[in-house]
Amino acid sequence: MKPCNIFQLQRLSVNDGEGIRTTVFFKGCALRCQWCANPESWSFDPQVMFFPHKCTGCGNCLTACRHDANVRNSKGEINFVSANCVDCGACRGVCPADARQEMGEGMTIAEVIAQLKKDYIFYQESGGGVTFSGGEPFLHPEYLRQLNEACHRIGINTAVESCAYFDFEACRDIVESIDQIFFDIKIMDSARHKQYTGVDNSRILANIEAASKINNNIIIRVPVITGVNDSTENMLALSKFLLEKTTITRVELLPYHELGLEKMTALGLPAVVFETPSEAKMEELKQLLREQGIEIISFR
Ligand code: SF4
Ligand code: SF4
């Protein structure tokens, strides 16, 4: 099995499922959510990120880069022209300030398992395990299948965080055997979904409906963003879909946060600022869903 590009392995995580977990972040996603907290996951390939606040302006990268991906602006600051970057890595080798960081490296299944084994005792004592995240883990079906099986062989509980946009038939057996699934549903209106994420939601809803028939441990996550999906209409459409089309009754609402903004800039992508909903608004939406028969859960 070829290595898969992983951009982070986060140990001792308590927000990504039951107990203490290690979260494995896969590279590659089909969606382009404007509020994404992990835009470094979008590309399947390793990428250089540039963090301007660390840059001392020494200019080493200007000399090292043969692809005009770095320019000094009229204020003397370095700007990253990511469209020109071919990820050769030359700038990283000469940067004295760690302002250039490589996101993503190929890891074999044996290498991931070796990392997971370090925290085996925490999983056992807390009821935790590993959570596959990203990016979209189901876009790497053979690797995910073998990694999930390897975890199960040594008694590690598995969970996956997914945007639900993948080839369902290619992943049916993984959906069935993984211990817990968190599926995102961003927006119920398909046209608005496409406007904000780049794809319509028909495949996502169909996959969630199909998955609920073969895995009974699924939780829906909704990143709540003011003016995008925090309407009564959207929440009622969500509960109607879940109750009429699926066997899923548990939802976690997560307020939008700005953690992805710096990463967007570091990747040379346009950063769009959204508004975080108030605590009162979050409570109102939770209550609305509870009244429809939805159980609200939280891992935060
Ligand atoms: S990684 Fe990109 S920015 Fe850095 S030297 Fe290579 S092409 Fe230039
Ligand atoms: S080498 Fe690093 S510190 Fe020097 S100008 Fe480039 S990014 Fe900034």
Side-chain angles (χ1 to χ4, degrees), residues 19-283:
I20 296 173
R21 311 191 72 83
T22 298
T23 308
V24 180
F25 291 89
F26 287 66
K27 290 275 282 172
C29 185
L31 272 60
R32 295 290 180 264
C33 305
Q34 292 181 17
W35 50 81
C36 183
N38 294 326
E40 71 273 42
S41 74
W42 290 355
S43 166
F44 284 79
D45 300 316
Q47 285 169 289
V48 167
M49 292 173 85
F50 170 53
F51 293 93
H53 66 279
K54 292 187 173 182
C55 174
T56 62
C58 72
N60 289 357
C61 57
L62 296 176
T63 313
C65 182
R66 296 175 182 276
H67 301 275
D68 295 330
N70 301 292
V71 292
R72 197 184 288 281
N73 67 23
S74 57
K75 291 189 218 157
E77 302 158 337
I78 301 296
N79 290 149
F80 181 34
V81 187
S82 61
N84 290 349
C85 177
V86 298
D87 196 47
C88 70
C91 58
R92 271 185 301 121
V94 298
C95 179
D98 201 25
R100 310 259 161 189
Q101 292 174 21
E102 177 86 341
M103 300 308 294
E105 66 167 312
M107 290 187 76
T108 63
I109 288 172
E111 286 169 338
V112 174
I113 291 290
Q115 291 295 319
L116 299 182
K117 280 181 173 172
K118 292 179 183 173
D119 292 330
Y120 191 76
I121 186 75
F122 295 120
Y123 310 152
Q124 296 306 107
E125 292 194 354
S126 68
V130 60
T131 300
F132 309 122
S133 187
E136 176 49 66
F138 284 113
L139 292 183
H140 307 270
E142 192 49 38
Y143 186 93
L144 182 62
R145 176 179 292 110
Q146 291 191 25
L147 181 55
N148 186 47
E149 288 170 1
C151 289
H152 281 167
R153 272 198 298 277
I154 56 173
I156 296 180
N157 172 281
T158 59
V160 64
E161 296 174 336
S162 167
C163 70
Y165 194 93
F166 58 88
D167 179 348
F168 189 82
E169 287 312 316
C171 299
R172 174 180 283 276
D173 61 308
I174 317 172
V175 170
E176 198 166 14
S177 67
I178 218 151
D179 296 310
Q180 183 159 52
I181 302 177
F182 296 89
F183 278 133
D184 274 12
I185 294 184
K186 273 96 178 181
I187 305 170
M188 290 302 295
D189 180 86
S190 202
R192 281 173 64 75
H193 193 284
K194 183 161 188 176
Q195 176 190 344
Y196 284 105
T197 72
V199 303
D200 72 55
N201 65 13
S202 54
R203 184 181 215 188
I204 291 168
L205 298 183
N207 281 356
I208 291 174
E209 182 178 346
S212 80
K213 294 184 170 69
I214 57 174
N215 188 313
N216 62 11
N217 196 2
I218 298 177
I219 292 171
I220 299 300
R221 278 184 168 159
V222 183
V224 181
I225 304 141
T226 303
V228 174
N229 62 355
D230 64 338
S231 67
T232 299
E233 181 190 12
N234 187 56
M235 292 298 159
L236 290 178
L238 171 66
S239 57
K240 186 171 190 299
F241 164 73
L242 293 178
L243 297 172
E244 291 183 3
K245 300 279 190 184
T246 80
T247 57
I248 305 166
T249 56
R250 293 176 295 166
V251 170
E252 184 175 20
L253 298 185
L254 300 167
Y256 162 77
H257 57 71
E258 296 185 351
L259 294 181
L261 289 179
E262 186 192 6
K263 297 182 191 175
M264 292 276 192
T265 306
L267 289 161
L269 299 168
V272 185
V273 183
F274 291 93
E275 194 181 324
T276 303
S278 66
E279 282 186 27
K281 184 67 182 181
M282 291 297 291
E283 208 37 62

